[in-house]
Amino acid sequence: MSQTLLLPRWLLTMKAGEDTLEYHALLIDGERIAAVGPRETLLTQYPQAARVELPEQILIPGLINAHAHSAMTLLRGVADDVPLMDWLQNHIWPLEKKWVSEEWTYLGSKLAAAEGLRSGTTYINDMYFFPTAMARAAVDSGVRAAVSMNVIDFPTSYASGPDDYIAKGIAAYEQYKGEKLLDWTSAPHAPYTVSDETFIKLRDLAEKLDIQMHCHIHETAGEVEDGLKQFGVRPLERLTKLGLMNERMIAVHMVHLNNDEIELMAKNGVHLVHNPNSNLKLASGVMPLKTLEAAGVNTVLGTDGAASNNRLDMFGEIRSAALLAKGITGDPTVASARTALEMATVRAAKAMGRSDDLGSLEVGKLADCVAVSLDSIECQPVYNAAAQLVYVAGREHVSNVWIGGRQVLRERQPVTIDVPALMADVRDVVGRMKAP
């Protein structure tokens, strides 16, 4: 197998208890990390390895976007500045009904993959219809993805009802089973779109296939109030009674929580996805990160879709998570730079059930690496390279990306995607969508 030495100025492994290393190197052997150590030591030990010099750059683990709707990049900006349910019912769902298809989903997912690569994102926990399209887009782009077997209780252009969604999801899973870039999730959309019966079927499916679950929960105050009216209990209590709230559950948004619910999440090992920018834009609220951290809940980060956030920018989420938590609590020690970075790396790997392979740059793990240049005017001077990633650097400073040892972004240009052809296809589809 080919060996490559990455030679950055700084190396942030995200290994527990390890600070930023300076003048260290990382050896890629095939698809995995074979060595991490002082630069001169590794240069001497592996003289035949190809060398990639990364001067004034910091090498970090690939960022994990723990919640996205990749295909919805094709709906970026179609309905800004409106409340969530208005946004969904009067704008998004009608457009989806008219336009969403296998090829539409593939194109939007590929656009999201390209944006993600230029943002240092190497893994996307996706949620949408047409899972075969999501899977194809990820594999063709060389990006890791958790593909959803997405289910809602009403018909769409994709499926006629819950059993049809599930059958098509299982068929896609069987088709792509064993593809090393892909994981799968059992994905009920939300408590307000999924019945108890369907939730139970998806719970059993997750257990049978030994995969994670992925669901929007407690996103708005209105969702909680409506759940109380319809079921007599808050949505989280309902889902707990159905046996869903455990270490398989990746619970997205989780903005409106009381102390009992937070304690329950900690006790049951539920993973919570914070989507700060999407929740701010839709005025849904802010996840109570300080209280969750104190309780020991595994909190991670996601962008949500480009139709609600407009940017699939994990650097933006990392910075917003750190600043929001400080601002709403009046405590500048909450959500340190290290914590914010953990939410997009090691903690997210845990949420996806991939701690053994992903989330940190350690020997034996998959070589998902991102180089970020700190050599620009905006990023100088550098006193603390890790903090610079959170409070200063942005996605525009991502220079190179490797996934499973394969370089997929070189000097900000995707290696695996024909960008001019992709953009031509996007303009063609969007032109038809805009046509009267």
Side-chain angles (χ1 to χ4, degrees), residues 63-68 121 123-125 214 250-253 271-277 279 287 289 293 298-304 309 313-322 324 335-349 351-352 390:
L63 302 179
I64 298 173
N65 185 348
H67 177 64
T121 299
Y123 187 117
I124 302 167
N125 184 27
H214 185 189
I250 301 165
V252 183
H253 298 300
H271 313 282
L272 273 59
V273 186
H274 188 16
N275 305 116
N277 289 314
N279 288 341
M287 178 187 278
L289 190 58
E293 289 287 306
N298 187 40
T299 51
V300 303
L301 285 172
T303 59
D304 209 353
N309 180 345
D313 177 5
M314 285 299 292
F315 277 85
E317 304 304 324
I318 289 168
R319 187 169 194 266
S320 292
L324 261 178
S336 67
R338 176 78 183 201
T339 295
L341 289 168
E342 286 178 355
M343 292 172 73
T345 54
V346 285
R347 294 189 186 189
M352 301 313 306
V390 177

Side-chain angles (χ1 to χ4, degrees), residues 30-95:
E31 65 177 6
R32 294 190 178 268
I33 298 167
V36 175
R39 175 190 177 104
E40 295 307 319
T41 300
L42 265 61
L43 283 170
T44 301
Q45 289 179 345
Y46 303 99
Q48 303 305 316
R51 300 178 184 182
V52 180
E53 291 283 356
L54 300 166
E56 299 305 307
Q57 298 189 43
I58 180 168
L59 193 69
I60 64 174
L63 302 179
I64 298 173
N65 185 348
H67 177 64
H69 306 288
S70 288
M72 295 179 79
T73 49
L74 295 178
L75 298 175
R76 193 194 320 262
V78 298
D80 293 325
D81 309 322
V82 294
L84 174 64
M85 295 316 295
D86 179 13
W87 176 81
L88 272 175
Q89 294 171 353
N90 299 320
H91 301 276
I92 299 303
W93 286 345
L95 281 168

Side-chain angles (χ1 to χ4, degrees), residues 10 91 95 97 118 138-139 169 178 181 183 213 220 232 235 261 302 309 336 342 354 364 385 404 416 433:
W10 301 276
H91 301 276
L95 281 168
K97 183 177 180 180
R118 284 164 58 91
V139 172
L181 285 172
D183 294 322
M213 295 194 74
T220 65
E261 290 164 341
N309 180 345
S336 67
E342 286 178 355
R354 296 297 304 272
T416 50
M433 291 172 63

Side-chain angles (χ1 to χ4, degrees), residues 94-108:
L95 281 168
E96 288 181 323
K97 183 177 180 180
K98 183 175 181 180
W99 290 103
V100 173
S101 66
E102 175 83 14
E103 287 309 310
W104 191 95
T105 301
Y106 174 80
L107 182 61

